[in-house]
Amino acid sequence: MTIGLDRLLAHMAWANQKTIAHLQTLPEACLGSFATNSEWHAAEIIYHIVDSADHYAFRISGIPALTKPGEPCIDDVKVTADLTRLKEQAAIVDKALLECVKLEDIQIEFKNYEDKMVKRWRSTILSQAIHHATEHRAQLASALEAKGFKPVDLDELDLWAFEIETESK
């Protein structure tokens, strides 16, 4: 067996589900938590993780997981009840990213967020999707802790915990 990104993507999906589930246990006020920038609050961060994954999946495969270019994006998170829908959407987009490991690793040319034409390997975009989610889960933990809410325990979201939980099933 060759080494691939599938285990890391499966871990990312698992960690995203655990993170959203953790938010569902907290008071609704936690969604407004932020560390240093009030516009970068918990609800925005968790929304951003899922929305960005949707865009990464489309960029890599050309197949919309949830949203199509030019159509409305994933709905914002306003209240705790919205997290149920977001959790379902995260599962869909994370599965779409996992399917991308089956694609040929070619360079894709596209306009980036600065409207510049760039070329990126599919594997680079897929790797960035993993790093992106990890980075923002850490920001989310900081935002919650800064406002006195129980943060996501990032140590419980590591690959070791993932392997223990998924191998015991």
Side-chain angles (χ1 to χ4, degrees), residues 47-150:
Y47 160 84
H48 178 73
I49 290 171
V50 178
D51 184 58
S52 296
D54 185 44
H55 291 287
Y56 287 132
F58 177 76
R59 175 71 63 214
I60 295 165
S61 68
I63 301 168
L66 289 175
T67 57
K68 297 177 183 170
E71 290 187 5
C73 294
I74 296 167
D75 294 333
D76 289 337
V77 174
K78 304 262 190 229
V79 295
T80 303
D82 294 337
L83 293 169
T84 300
R85 175 190 34 77
L86 191 73
K87 195 173 183 184
E88 293 167 358
Q89 291 173 326
I92 293 167
V93 298
D94 289 342
K95 182 178 178 185
L97 284 169
L98 187 55
E99 288 295 311
C100 290
V101 300
K102 299 174 185 174
L103 299 172
E104 183 181 348
D105 193 14
I106 60 171
Q107 282 193 321
I108 300 169
E109 188 171 25
F110 59 92
K111 284 186 179 182
N112 69 7
Y113 61 93
E114 295 173 335
D115 207 32
K116 294 180 184 174
M117 290 301 292
V118 296
K119 282 187 180 183
R120 299 286 184 262
W121 291 98
R122 280 178 168 158
S123 60
T124 300
I125 300 167
L126 204 49
S127 298
Q128 175 58 23
I130 296 165
H131 291 297
H132 182 264
T134 303
E135 169 194 359
H136 289 304
R137 285 193 304 271
Q139 288 177 333
L140 180 61
S142 295
L144 293 170
E145 189 170 34
K147 297 303 178 202
F149 294 99
K150 181 180 178 186

Side-chain angles (χ1 to χ4, degrees), residues 3 9 18 85:
I3 297 173
L9 286 160
K18 293 280 189 183
R85 175 190 34 77

Side-chain angles (χ1 to χ4, degrees), residues 6 45-46 60 107 130 133 160:
D6 50 340
I45 295 168
I46 198 65
I60 295 165
Q107 282 193 321
I130 296 165
W160 315 126

